[in-house]
């Protein structure tokens, strides 16, 4: 297992076009990516699907990593976006299957697990927030779900810390209202 400085160096080399470094980087980050996807998606298979998508995105777009922030911050953004996209895709597929098949009693995951329901409700709230205030979503996800510090997030987003804190405050308020059903 590589440590953080090794991972950062592998990322810099991979972004510069070193394919061997990219292979080593993908192997090194896979467990962390899967763990992070699991924070978003309650079902292990769904988390694995999102993790695979995230690793593909890293491989395809590593040259976009410019090194202005830590690779781990860049990776958090990629993982969060892939997990949320996987959730949207699963929700869309479920809706399509439900309308194409005779009505069958399908258990709602929100009633089978409090943790799963909470995560799904949060993902729904994030989708609503993104529809109305997309600039708030990344800040909230990186702070509250990925637990990055303010300086790191501000650097990644290229905004002042004060602006970041304001976005997080507004995002939390919108999500809280959405979760209450307002």
């Amino acid at each position: 297992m590589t440590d953080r400085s090794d991972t950062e160096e592998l990322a810099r080399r991979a972004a510069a076009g070193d394919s061997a470094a990219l292979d080593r980087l993908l192997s090194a980050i896979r467990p962390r990516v899967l763990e992070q996807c699991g924070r978003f998606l309650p079902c292990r298979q769904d988390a694995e699907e999102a993790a695979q998508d995230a690793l593909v995105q890293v491989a395809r777009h590593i040259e976009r990593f410019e090194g202005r922030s830590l690779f781990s911050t860049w990776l958090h953004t990629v993982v969060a976006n892939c997990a949320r996209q996987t959730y949207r895709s699963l929700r869309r597929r479920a809706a399509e299957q439900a309308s194409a098949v005779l009505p069958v009693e399908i258990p709602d995951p929100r009633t089978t697990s409090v943790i799963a329901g909470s995560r799904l409700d949060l993902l729904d709230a994030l989708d609503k927030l993104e529809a109305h205030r997309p600039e708030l979503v990344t800040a909230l996800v990186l702070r509250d779900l990925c637990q990055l510090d303010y300086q790191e997030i501000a650097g990644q987003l290229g905004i002042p810390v004060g602006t970041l804190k304001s976005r997080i405050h507004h995002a939390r308020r919108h999500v809280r209202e959405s979760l209450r059903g307002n």
Side-chain angles (χ1 to χ4, degrees), residues 123-156:
L123 288 168
D124 285 341
L126 288 173
D127 279 350
K128 289 177 188 174
L129 177 61
E130 188 169 43
H132 299 293
R133 302 282 307 274
E135 74 281 5
L136 301 180
V137 175
T138 301
L140 179 70
V141 167
L142 291 176
R143 178 66 185 154
D144 289 354
L145 295 177
C146 299
Q147 300 174 341
L148 299 181
D149 65 48
Y150 290 110
Q151 287 296 120
E152 199 171 353
I153 299 167
Q156 171 71 21

Side-chain angles (χ1 to χ4, degrees), residues 121 125 128 173-182:
D121 291 339
K128 289 177 188 174
R173 191 185 75 223
H174 284 282
V175 167
R176 202 171 22 252
E177 289 171 3
S178 182
L179 291 172
R180 287 184 189 141
N182 296 337

Side-chain angles (χ1 to χ4, degrees), residues 12-160:
R12 282 190 287 279
R13 289 181 24 217
D18 183 338
S19 61
L22 177 60
D23 290 342
R24 288 184 50 215
L25 176 67
L26 293 173
S27 294
I29 65 173
R30 188 183 191 298
R32 185 172 18 154
V33 168
L34 182 56
E35 177 186 331
Q36 290 172 352
C37 287
R39 291 181 188 164
F40 286 90
L41 300 162
C43 176
R44 175 128 176 117
Q45 285 180 304
D46 298 342
E48 287 173 352
E49 180 180 337
Q52 187 63 35
D53 290 345
L55 292 170
V56 168
Q57 291 301 313
V58 169
R60 285 186 181 161
H61 303 293
I62 189 66
E63 74 280 352
R64 292 183 185 168
F65 173 63
E66 299 171 349
R68 289 182 293 150
S69 64
L70 292 173
F71 172 73
S72 57
T73 304
W74 185 82
L75 180 62
H76 281 298
T77 303
V78 171
V79 170
N81 288 338
C82 286
R84 291 177 53 237
Q85 184 57 42
T86 298
Y87 171 70
R88 285 188 207 107
S89 175
L90 291 167
R91 192 175 60 190
R92 188 173 44 253
R93 280 187 270 175
E96 289 169 358
Q97 288 174 352
S99 64
V101 182
L102 292 174
V104 177
E105 195 65 33
I106 300 173
D108 184 343
R110 289 176 177 89
T111 62
T112 59
S113 166
V114 172
I115 294 171
S118 298
R119 289 185 200 171
L120 295 175
D121 291 339
L122 176 60
L123 288 168
D124 285 341
L126 288 173
D127 279 350
K128 289 177 188 174
L129 177 61
E130 188 169 43
H132 299 293
R133 302 282 307 274
E135 74 281 5
L136 301 180
V137 175
T138 301
L140 179 70
V141 167
L142 291 176
R143 178 66 185 154
D144 289 354
L145 295 177
C146 299
Q147 300 174 341
L148 299 181
D149 65 48
Y150 290 110
Q151 287 296 120
E152 199 171 353
I153 299 167
Q156 171 71 21
L157 298 179
I159 59 175

